[in-house]
Amino acid sequence: MFANENTPKTYGWVEFATIQPWDIKVKAKLDSGALTSSMQAEDIEEFERDDENWVRFTLEVEDEASGEVISKIVEKPLYRDFNAIGAGGTDHRKVVLMKICIGSTISSGQAWKDRRRYDFWCCWATNHSDTGRHRCDKNLCQRPQLR
């Protein structure tokens, strides 16, 4: 039987992801119920540039490949706002478009929040429309393939 685009890709519930364009390697927890991925960010603020809403935040994560703590101040156009509703209540988040890669799959829209209290810097939404269908399995099933 040959795999086609309707066959779900198999991912572990934890995978290595790379944050582009810096190729920073982080561990990502896959969330089969989420529609929007979330990434570690601090000092999140919305501002206006050329009559458009933008978001500025500090990305500070440990690169799994080098062990270095990488810190970047990022400014991106605001893609949308949304409220994440979960067991802990409602959390208002800003979404920007950035590439996060697992294997050969790219996710482009992430919500940014302070995730320091969590075990993973990235929560990968497997129901996100631009990443296709996925099946979660064991751990670390994919190798980074994009640069």
Side-chain angles (χ1 to χ4, degrees):
M1 178 173 172
F2 294 99
N4 62 42
E5 59 192 43
N6 293 323
T7 303
K9 293 179 184 178
T10 300
Y11 292 91
W13 74 275
V14 175
E15 290 286 355
F16 285 114
T18 56
I19 304 170
Q20 302 302 322
W22 308 286
D23 207 30
I24 301 169
K25 186 176 181 181
V26 296
K27 281 187 184 171
K29 174 189 158 294
L30 275 69
D31 185 342
S32 60
L35 297 173
T36 303
S37 299
S38 66
M39 278 292 307
Q40 162 62 15
E42 298 170 35
D43 307 321
I44 302 165
E45 62 179 304
E46 190 171 339
F47 66 98
E48 206 170 283
R49 178 182 289 165
D50 300 324
D51 294 324
E52 292 185 10
N53 292 332
W54 282 59
V55 179
R56 177 184 302 117
F57 56 90
T58 302
L59 170 67
E60 187 170 293
V61 295
E62 182 178 338
D63 184 343
E64 293 283 339
S66 69
E68 277 184 72
V69 173
I70 308 291
S71 183
K72 304 274 185 195
I73 295 175
V74 180
E75 293 182 349
K76 292 280 186 181
L78 177 66
Y79 181 65
R80 68 182 173 98
D81 286 301
F82 88 103
N83 290 318
I85 302 169
T90 301
D91 188 19
H92 183 75
R93 300 183 190 173
K94 307 287 183 194
V95 177
V96 299
L97 298 179
M98 277 181 70
K99 290 183 180 177
I100 309 291
C101 306
I102 293 181
S104 62
T105 303
I106 299 171
S107 174
S108 58
Q110 289 79 36
W112 298 86
K113 69 173 278 171
D114 187 338
R115 295 187 57 85
R116 287 177 289 185
R117 68 183 180 100
Y118 297 100
D119 293 331
F120 303 98
W121 297 115
C122 177
C123 180
W124 180 279
T126 61
N127 282 337
H128 196 278
S129 61
D130 69 352
T131 60
R133 297 178 59 218
H134 301 98
R135 182 178 67 115
C136 294
D137 207 357
K138 306 176 233 161
N139 283 337
L140 304 172
C141 298
Q142 299 289 315
R143 293 179 102 59
Q145 299 173 15
L146 299 175
R147 289 206 174 250

